[in-house]
Structure formats: C-alpha cells, structure tokens
C-alpha cells in the first residue's frame, strides 16, 4: 500500500535574521502557523499584523516580504514504519523560494510557487520525531539575482515580478496592493510507498460518435526492491481494463473505450454528466491494491476554429462541434492571500458569474493556476475555462533557471488540469506579444529573448505532446500570425483598452472585432465595502483615502472623464454629498459602459464570437473594473452584465444617436419565438409610436431592426420575453430630465426573507438604483437600474434582516436616480 499522511498540523513560524523593520514583538516570537496558509495571515491571526486591506496598513507591511521565515513541524514515524518502504515529502505548493531540511539535513530547494515538489527522504527519516523545516528566502533576494543575470527587462509595472515563478499580482497591480507573500500555500504530505505508487495521471479524454475513450501513459514510482510486474487497471464507472506493467518497467500505456457516453456541454447548451475515472495499481500475485488515483471526467470534444474567412481570422471555440457564443469574464486571484480562498468561496464567486449568464471564465496570467476546487466547480456547472499560462504584461527571461521552472510548471499543470472537461483552452500569455509590439520594449531589449520562445515554441510543443485534446493559442491578444499586429480587430483575439484609457465608451461601437478577450470600465465598490475598508467618512473621488484605493494610472480622472459626456457633474461643496453622487454616477457609468460594449459586440454575432469582460472579481476593497467587489458585493455593473449576457438577448444599439437598432440574438440551443414590441414615448410618458412584430430565431440566429424615431420621442422601450429594455434617445446631460418625484413603499416579504420595496414614479425616473447596503451591509437586491415612466411602479425585492418598518428604507440617498441630482449641477 501507499499511505499518504497529511502534515498540516503542528507548524510554527518565526522570523529568521529579522531586519530592522521587523517589529520587536515579531522578531523573537514563535507563532502557530496554518498550513496551508501564509505568513501574513498567520501574523494577523496572532494579532501581530493589522489587516492590510484596511486604511493604509499595506504601506507599513513591506517588511513581511523582505524577511526570511522559518516554518517548523515534527513528523512522527512509528518505528515499524521506518523500513516499510520509500518515504517521500509531497509539497503541493510552496510560495516560493525555500529550502527544506529534515533532521537538520538538506532535502531540497524550491523556486516556483506554481508547481508540486516531491522529495525522496527515505535516507533522512528516523523512527520517532523528525524535525521538518521549510525556510523561505525573501523573494527579492532571488529576483535581484535574476535581474543581475538577465538585466533589466521591460514591464508594465516596475516591480520584479517577471524574475520569479510566483503570482505576479502579489507585487501590486493596477487593481491590487503590494503584499509579497511567503508560505506553505498548499497541503503537505508524508507519502510512504511500500511497493510502488502512481505518478500523477494525465488522462486524455476524447469522444467520437458517443463512444468515449480514455487513454493515459501511466507512470509508477517503485520503492527499492520492487522490480517485478505490476498491474494497472483503469475504470470508468463500471467499464474497466487491466494491463500489465512488465518487470522493471516504469510506464505503460492504457486505453479504455466507454460506449454510449452522455456528452458534457457548456452551461446553457446541455447537461454536464461526469464519470468517475479510477486508476488502480496492484500486485498481480496477491491482487493487493498498491495505490489508487481518481478523477471526475466528462466526455466532450473541443476545437478552436481559426480558419481564415473573408473578414479575417475568426476565433471560435467549438464544443461537440457546436460554436460557443462566449459570454465570458476574466478572473483574477480572489484574494491576495490565495490560501484563504476555499471551496465555499470559489462556489460563491463562480455562482455570481453563472447568475450573470456567464459561460466562460478566463484565468488571467498574472494570477495562479487555480486550485482543483475551482476547476471542479466549473466542471459541475458547465462554466468553460480558458487558462493562461502565467505570464503577464512583461518581458520574461528565457534563460536558466527560469526556463526549467517554466517547463516543470507547465508539465505539472497541464497534467493536473487534464481531467477537467471545463478546461477548453491553454493560452500562452497575457499581453506580452502586444507589449513587445507596442509598449517600447524593443529598444531596451536590444535583441535579448523576452518570452516569445515560450509562447510559440516551448508551450505549444508541450501541450501538443502532453495533451493534444486541447487547443493552444500563443497569447492574448494575438492575431494568429507574426506578420499581423497582435491586436488587429480582424484577426484572432483583441483587447479593447483605448476605451477605458483614452476614449469614451461610445467608441466601442467603432470596433468590429472577431473576439474580445479583455475590455472593461472602472467603477467604485459598494459603499459599505468602502466604509469597511477605510475610516475616512468622506471617501470620495478626490480624497487621499479614495485615491489610495485607485491603483490604475490616472484612474479617478478617467472615471470623471468617462462621466462627462453622459451624466451630470459631481457637485462641489458638501463633500459627503459629492461622495454619494460620485459613487452613484461612477457605478452607473461603469454599468452603462459594459452593457453598451457587450450589446454592441454581441449584436455582431457570429462575426464576433465572444467577449470576456475585464473583470469578474477583486482581491481586496478597491475601485476597479470588477463587477463583484472585494467584499463579494455585486456592483451595478453585475446587473448590467446579467442583462447583456442573457442567452436570449434583446438589446438596442445606436439609441443616443437617435438611430436605434433593436437586436435579438439567440444563443440558446432552441429556436426562439417571441413577440417583439417596441414603444416610443416622450418624457411625460405619452406614447408616440411603436410596433408589434412576431420574431422567430433559429438557434445561433440574430435579428436586427433599425427604427425611425419621431422628433419628440425620447424613450424607447423594447419588450420580448424578459424584462423590457429601455433606452433614452439622447444622453442624459442633453435632456431636460424632470426633477424626480416618487413614492417609496417598503413591505415585508410574506416569507420573511426581506423587503419588497415599491417605487412609484410620479415623473420619469431614470436608472433607479437601491443602495440597500447602506441600510444592511448584507442586503442583496434583485435588480438595479430601472427606468420608469410617470405612473409606472417597480418592486425591488431585497433579501435582508432589516424589516420594512425601518425608516432607513425611505431615507434620502437609499433609492437614487439620475434625475434626483439637482438641476444646477447638470
Ligand atoms: C489588462 C489586464 C491587466 C490589467 C487590466 C486593466 O491589461 O491584462 O493587466 O489589470 O488590463 O488595466
């Protein structure tokens, strides 16, 4: 048998060679250490470090990443187990540059957070207690040495993240703090191999005409003296096959066919049946099981179709031969301290994506290969995963030892993630090919390697060798050819960032891309999130506390510039009021920008085969492009994305230019028959025209209807099956919106789960939002941004413990709309 003993208990932590910045209380202390975990979270648990997510605590904590830390534990081994076989230490993840010692003797060194390490310690263990030390160097010692070796390499940020195989965003990003972690971030085990064990299995899962096939090159690790034949049995549910591993051999190919499988489909396109795959290693003489490996697989085919067409180079992900209209979001690490992200938290976040009609999540290259829970939850729900190899926004060294680390890490993760049906694409890097082309890298590089060899040679060769069932794409953005600009809209994937950085969001309408893998617009997090994160009560767009929570270059100015063409100005004077108005307007503008962009791109279907919004989540409380904030609250943009990503989309483009086009896009697998109704009103709610028309759309069908509008019409309402879509036929700033008059009637929900908040409009009410978190930070509202005509009402359903009788629900500032901003400010 092979026994695996978790070594997660009894760890302590202390600073070694504590420098002058290390507080006295930490310098001599031996603290309890959580494994998996990291130094920052242990220090916080011991009361020795303030929460770096609050106020400006981050500024005073850089010593944590500059200190050498020693983890210590005791590994007990019973005397009768000592000679039982081969003893190994398995580290699923060490962050990052570490030296491991057992009983004072060296075991090994590590320099890569993104891979598993196995060390044979048979000759080092003793019966009884064994002292296990894992000592982490300050990562800068390593990055400084690599910088000396490779010279300065250009990057989008000046921290040395490209010189070490560690999560890049730890060094600070344009949405994240600089918190350079260290620690044992994944489980540790003592593995005792009595005869032989299985190496990690890489199953290739394919399907042809509903016949599933699983094949693998199964490798074993033998204990000394185990030289005879072994048997390997591979089983999928009750189908199984056994092969013999001859005496002395370490690998054997196995293959199994499974007739009449049920196909695994992306969410919204079918079910997600999964099958249990088991590989067993046994002694052929006694039949005793020596080791076992298990995974849950799904049978599906995936292809990336980039065959050139008349318009350029498409980028179409096909699953089971059906093109997927990608409605994606980009994922960043959900916490700077990644060991805190447990399965329930992954489930909450991925559920927020699914609830917003997302069908693909891109794991971005400045983060990590996520833990098994992440991919398992995606498999279960049908959320497709596009996985970047971990390179982002920099020129990377291609020499040793980095090259070998990249290779080892890629091998390990291609193997680890192979069972997951949700994983549909390996992507070489984030923006590095673009960076080389456009970000003035070529002169400082002066001909030195910058990573291209990884993206166009090493990684594609490795994916082709290890896992030919999955497509590989060299980077994002990438056009498919070295001769075409990497961000060419007509070819492959593109990132649309000029809109946020330089241009108004209406500029999305000028793009005809084939696939947009990044685009997005910033907005602040919920007020209660900001209130928790900072003790500055006037937190607004121009205070120091707020700008501390804005990490993007000129971010606050870009938010203001983005508001100006569309929405009233922020009032001067009372800073609390200015803050409240800024917050409402900036959140609203983010929501409108992403709905505008997605609506435009989806209306181009099938020319444009998908969008991946930047970004789903945040890693701490911050102003950012996220649609769910760092305290897990949905921003108004989340509701906008939910609308814009509806599988059956009803949207309107060209509204503010008074050339509206109503679009219906059917990304559901069934035909869509609906009665389209379009109505035109003036601001008093008088009906000025419209039409009723039955529409029938095939699966993957699209229908677009340009609309003539009479001069007096200012509001267009389109109805199909879902909630109506309303557009003002001009910018809010260009229209004389009436001062808001409304009645708010809160009532307890009959099932006691919260409040039904009815808003009755006595005038037009433009983009009503309920800031329920001001009354109850845990409140969740079902809908946001509702425009009402005079005489209409809308009921917001709010999940909350605060009863309807609480005066807060009707207090000023909780229900907001554009036209409650005073006229003088417009
Ligand atoms: C893209 C991403 C990130 C960045 C985002 C916003 O380039 O790849 O690097 O956070 O833009 O600027």
């Amino acid at each position: 048998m092979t026994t695996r003993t978790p070594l997660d208990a009894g760890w302590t932590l202390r600073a070694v060679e504590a420098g002058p910045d290390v507080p006295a209380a930490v310098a001599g202390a031996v603290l309890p250490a959580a494994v998996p975990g990291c130094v920052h979270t242990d220090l916080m648990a011991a009361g020795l470090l303030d929460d770096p997510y609050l106020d400006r605590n981050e500024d005073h904590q850089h010593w944590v990443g500059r200190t050498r830390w020693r983890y210590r534990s005791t590994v007990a081994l019973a005397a009768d187990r000592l000679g039982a076989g081969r003893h190994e230490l398995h580290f699923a993840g060490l962050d990052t540059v570490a030296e491991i010692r057992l009983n004072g003797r060296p075991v090994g060194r590590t320099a890569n957070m993104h891979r598993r390490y196995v060390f044979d310690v048979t000759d080092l263990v003793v019966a009884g207690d064994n002292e296990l030390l894992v000592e982490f160097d300050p990562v800068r010692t390593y990055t400084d040495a690599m910088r000396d070796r490779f010279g300065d390499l250009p990057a989008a940020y000046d921290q040395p993240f490209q010189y070490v195989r560690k999560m890049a965003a730890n060094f600070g990003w344009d949405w994240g703090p600089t918190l350079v972690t260290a620690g044992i971030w994944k489980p540790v085990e003592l593995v005792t191999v009595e005869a032989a064990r299985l190496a990690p299995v890489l199953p290739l899962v394919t399907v042809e005409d509903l016949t599933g096939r699983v094949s693998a090159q199964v490798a074993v690790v033998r204990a000394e003296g185990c030289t005879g034949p072994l048997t390997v049995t591979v089983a999928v549910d009750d189908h199984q096959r056994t092969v013999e591993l001859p005496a002395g051999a370490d690998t054997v190919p196995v293959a199994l066919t499974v007739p009449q499988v049920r196909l695994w489909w992306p969410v919204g396109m079918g079910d997600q049946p999964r099958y249990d795959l088991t590989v067993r290693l046994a002694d052929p003489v006694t039949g005793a099981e020596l080791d076992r490996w298990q995974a849950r697989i799904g049978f599906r085919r995936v292809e990336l179709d980039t065959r050139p067409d008349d318009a350029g180079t498409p980028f179409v992900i096909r699953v089971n031969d059906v093109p997927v209209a990608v409605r994606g979001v980009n994922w960043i690490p959900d916490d700077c301290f990644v060991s805190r992200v447990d399965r329930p938290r992954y489930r909450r976040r991925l559920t927020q994506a699914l609830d917003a009609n997302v069908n693909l999540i891109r794991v971005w290259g400045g983060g990590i290969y996520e833990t098994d829970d992440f991919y398992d939850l995606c498999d279960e729900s049908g959320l497709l995963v596009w996985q970047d190899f971990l390179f982002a926004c920099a020129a990377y060294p291609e020499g040793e030892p980095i090259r070998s680390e990249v290779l080892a890490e890629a091998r390990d993760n291609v193997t680890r993630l192979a069972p997951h049906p949700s994983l549909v694409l390996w992507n070489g890097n984030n923006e590095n090919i673009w960076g080389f082309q456009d970000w003035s890298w070529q002169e400082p590089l002066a001909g030195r390697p910058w990573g291209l060899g990884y993206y166009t040679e090493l990684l594609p060769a490795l994916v082709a060798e290890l896992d030919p069932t999955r497509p590989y794409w060299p980077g994002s953005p990438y056009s498919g050819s070295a001769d075409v600009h990497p961000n060419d809209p007509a070819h492959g994937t593109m990132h649309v960032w000029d809109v946020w950085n330089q241009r108004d969001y209406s500029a999305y309408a000028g793009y005809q891309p084939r696939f947009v893998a990044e685009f997005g617009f910033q907005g602040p997090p919920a007020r209660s999130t900001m209130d928790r994160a900072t003790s500055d009560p006037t937190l607004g767009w121009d205070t120091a506390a707020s700008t501390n929570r804005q990490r993007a270059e000129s971010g606050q100015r870009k938010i203001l510039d983005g508001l100006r063409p569309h929405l009233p100005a922020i009032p001067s004077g009372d800073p609390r009021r200015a803050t409240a108005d800024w917050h409402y307007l900036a959140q609203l503008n983010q929501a409108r920008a992403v709905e505008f962009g997605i609506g435009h791109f989806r209306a181009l279907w099938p020319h444009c085969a998908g969008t991946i919004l930047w970004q789903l989540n945040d890693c701490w409380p911050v102003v950012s492009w996220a649609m769910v904030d760092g305290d897990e609250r949905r921003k108004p943009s989340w509701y906008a994305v939910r609308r814009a990503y509806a599988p059956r989309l009803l949207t309107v483009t060209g509204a503010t230019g008074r050339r509206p086009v109503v679009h219906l896009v059917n990304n559901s697998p069934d035909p869509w028959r609906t009665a389209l109704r379009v109505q035109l009103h003036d601001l008093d709610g008088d009906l000025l025209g419209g039409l009723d028309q039955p529409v029938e759309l095939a699966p993957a069908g699209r229908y677009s209807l340009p609309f003539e509008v009479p001069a007096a019409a200012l509001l267009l309402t389109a109805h199909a099956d879902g909630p109506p879509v309303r557009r003002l036929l001009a910018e809010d700033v260009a229209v004389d919106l009436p001062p808001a008059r409304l009645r708010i009637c809160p009532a307890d929900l009959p099932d006691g789960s919260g409040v039904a908040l009815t808003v009755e409009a006595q005038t037009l009410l433009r983009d009503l939002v309920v800031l329920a978190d001001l009354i109850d930070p845990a409140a969740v509202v079902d809908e946001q941004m509702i425009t009402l005509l005079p005489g209409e009402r809308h009921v917001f359903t709010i999940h909350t413990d605060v009863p309807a009788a609480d005066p807060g629900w009707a207090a000023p500032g909780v229900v907001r709309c554009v036209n409650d901003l005073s006229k003088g400010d417009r």
Side-chain angles (χ1 to χ4, degrees), residues 156-157 173-175 332 362 364 392-393 430-431 434 439 495 497 500-501 518 552 614-615 625:
Y157 306 97
W173 215 258
D174 60 2
W175 35 256
I332 63 166
R362 169 179 176 228
W364 164 77
C393 303
N430 176 70
E431 296 188 343
W434 190 15
W439 300 350
H495 293 190
W497 278 118
W500 155 252
N501 284 311
E518 279 185 20
W614 187 268
Q615 69 215 58
W625 302 263

Side-chain angles (χ1 to χ4, degrees), residues 190-230:
L190 175 70
V191 176
T192 300
V193 185
E194 289 178 20
R197 70 165 170 88
L198 292 162
V201 179
L202 191 167
L204 300 180
V205 182
T206 54
V207 59
E208 213 55 64
D209 297 331
L210 299 188
T211 300
R213 186 181 151 89
V214 179
S215 61
Q217 188 71 31
V218 174
V220 302
V221 176
R222 293 170 182 265
E224 207 174 284
C226 170
T227 52
L230 299 167

Side-chain angles (χ1 to χ4, degrees), residues 17-59:
E17 299 161 15
D21 296 346
V22 178
V26 174
V30 176
L31 320 169
V35 169
C38 76
V39 171
H40 282 87
T41 48
D42 289 334
L43 289 170
M44 277 190 266
L48 295 169
L49 192 75
D50 293 328
D51 185 340
Y53 293 0
L54 303 184
D55 288 319
R56 305 201 55 154
N57 292 341
E58 171 207 0
D59 296 352

Side-chain angles (χ1 to χ4, degrees), residues 456-518:
T456 58
E457 291 166 36
L458 184 143
L459 294 170
L462 192 85
V463 174
E465 173 206 325
L466 296 180
D467 186 0
T469 72
R470 287 188 169 83
Y472 171 87
W473 190 248
S476 195
Y478 188 60
S479 61
S481 157
D483 303 329
V484 178
H485 190 279
N487 208 34
D488 189 320
H491 300 276
T493 59
M494 84 171 299
H495 293 190
V496 180
W497 278 118
D498 58 346
V499 163
W500 155 252
N501 284 311
Q502 293 118 29
R503 303 171 69 191
D504 183 60
Y505 69 72
S506 55
Y508 285 128
Y511 280 102
Q512 307 272 316
R514 306 311 303 268
F515 192 105
V516 191
E518 279 185 20

